[in-house]
Amino acid sequence: MSTLGAVNAAIEKLWPLAGAESWDSPGLAVGDPTAEVTHIHLAVDAVLDTVDEALGMGADLLLVHHPLLFHGAKTVAESTTKGAVIARLVRGGAALIAAHTNADVVATGTSRVLAHQLGLTDQRPIQASAADPTGQTGLGIVGTAESPLTLMALARLLTDILPPTAGGVRVAGDHESVVSTVALCGGAGDSLLDHPEVLGADVYITSDLRHHPASDARELMRLGRGPALVDISHWAAEWLWLDTAAAQLRQAIPDVEVTLSDLRTDPWDFAVVR
């Protein structure tokens, strides 16, 4: 029998909390460490739909990528989204753990999974972890395409790899430009737009690019001083990681069932394009 405390220890061994960014809040959020865990359900987001899915499958632990209490909460009243999620988990007898930036920076993290799906070689972090003397772990990935391809071909490859979302794949750049060096960051990566590894790439793939940072980056691209941009769904990019995480959990905790959510928790339902 595995307790929640033992499972949490295994999770923290796979994705050490020491690797989390200072502003992050991963780890155990809901649950009794002495309670038994027989079934872990994996999802990107702790929302009502994924909680209901986990409880409907008999899971007693929901392991998510995005922390529910990311910015903290002054109340868990059920009139709030966080309170409603927590109440539903507690009533259903399920715990909640998040592995966020601590799961981004490891060698099998979110950006690595996407880089492998794209077939990138010579992979290295955009921003290496200060605590890793090998320089092999950290935020984002930069690598080389197996064969040079056009920006349009890369965008189409991403649409094949990623689950469908209303936002699709958005691109800034000449669709016939040739791409060889690819930088990417799973999740919101505009903080790395000015990083030398990103500026030296042919294209930068990330999510949640805001107007002004994206506009400035596009102008740099037109000056020949920065990469083309590809904006993809935050949820879709990180959803790819769940399969890798599940395989690691099954090996680390063989007596616990592990399942994956295929619910789309991207916040957008449809787009109208004219």
Side-chain angles (χ1 to χ4, degrees), residues 210-257:
R210 296 169 294 154
H211 174 85
H212 294 294
S215 179
D216 287 344
R218 186 174 185 273
E219 293 301 292
L220 277 178
M221 173 191 67
R222 296 186 68 188
L223 291 171
R225 297 173 50 206
L229 301 177
V230 179
D231 187 88
I232 59 178
S233 160
H234 190 135
W235 164 80
E238 296 179 330
W239 180 83
L240 295 176
W241 168 76
L242 298 184
D243 191 57
T244 297
Q248 291 178 288
L249 285 167
R250 290 179 185 124
Q251 183 173 13
I253 323 169
D255 63 329
V256 174
E257 181 182 0

Side-chain angles (χ1 to χ4, degrees), residues 142-143 181-183 195-204 226-228:
V142 61
T181 303
V182 178
H195 195 283
E197 291 280 17
V198 171
L199 293 175
D202 298 316
V203 63
Y204 181 45

Side-chain angles (χ1 to χ4, degrees), residues 161-172:
I161 291 170
L162 297 169
T165 56
V169 174
R170 303 189 299 177
V171 183

Side-chain angles (χ1 to χ4, degrees), residues 117-118 153-164 169 240:
Q117 292 273 356
L118 288 170
L154 175 64
R156 286 176 172 161
L157 178 59
L158 283 165
T159 62
D160 291 337
I161 291 170
L162 297 169
V169 174
L240 295 176

Side-chain angles (χ1 to χ4, degrees), residues 16-246:
L17 293 181
E21 294 291 307
S22 59
W23 45 261
D24 200 7
S25 58
L28 178 63
V30 176
D32 176 0
T34 66
E36 182 181 3
V37 173
T38 62
H39 183 168
I40 301 171
H41 192 57
L42 278 165
V44 175
D45 299 294
V47 294
L48 294 173
D49 283 346
T50 53
V51 170
D52 288 345
E53 182 184 49
L55 295 178
M57 298 177 72
D60 31 38
L61 170 59
L62 178 62
L63 174 60
V64 294
H65 185 52
H66 294 146
L68 177 67
L69 303 175
F70 184 64
H71 296 296
K74 295 181 179 179
T75 175
V76 290
E78 290 186 61
S79 56
T80 67
T81 55
K82 292 178 174 60
V85 166
I86 290 170
R88 200 165 294 188
L89 284 165
V90 171
R91 288 197 184 102
L96 177 66
I97 294 175
H100 192 213
T101 54
N102 52 316
D104 289 331
V105 299
V106 296
T108 54
T110 52
S111 295
R112 285 279 186 183
V113 170
L114 180 55
H116 286 314
Q117 292 273 356
L118 288 170
L120 301 185
T121 61
D122 303 319
Q123 295 179 22
R124 60 189 183 278
I126 292 173
Q127 183 174 296
S129 296
D132 181 3
T134 70
Q136 293 304 302
T137 63
L139 290 175
I141 290 293
V142 61
T144 305
E146 291 179 319
S147 300
L149 70 168
T150 66
L151 188 57
M152 175 63 84
L154 175 64
R156 286 176 172 161
L157 178 59
L158 283 165
T159 62
D160 291 337
I161 291 170
L162 297 169
T165 56
V169 174
R170 303 189 299 177
V171 183
D174 180 356
H175 67 284
E176 291 297 330
S177 62
V178 176
V179 169
S180 180
T181 303
V182 178
L184 62 87
C185 181
D190 62 2
S191 64
L192 298 174
L193 279 169
D194 295 330
H195 195 283
E197 291 280 17
V198 171
L199 293 175
D202 298 316
V203 63
Y204 181 45
I205 304 166
T206 192
S207 307
D208 299 342
L209 287 175
R210 296 169 294 154
H211 174 85
H212 294 294
S215 179
D216 287 344
R218 186 174 185 273
E219 293 301 292
L220 277 178
M221 173 191 67
R222 296 186 68 188
L223 291 171
R225 297 173 50 206
L229 301 177
V230 179
D231 187 88
I232 59 178
S233 160
H234 190 135
W235 164 80
E238 296 179 330
W239 180 83
L240 295 176
W241 168 76
L242 298 184
D243 191 57
T244 297

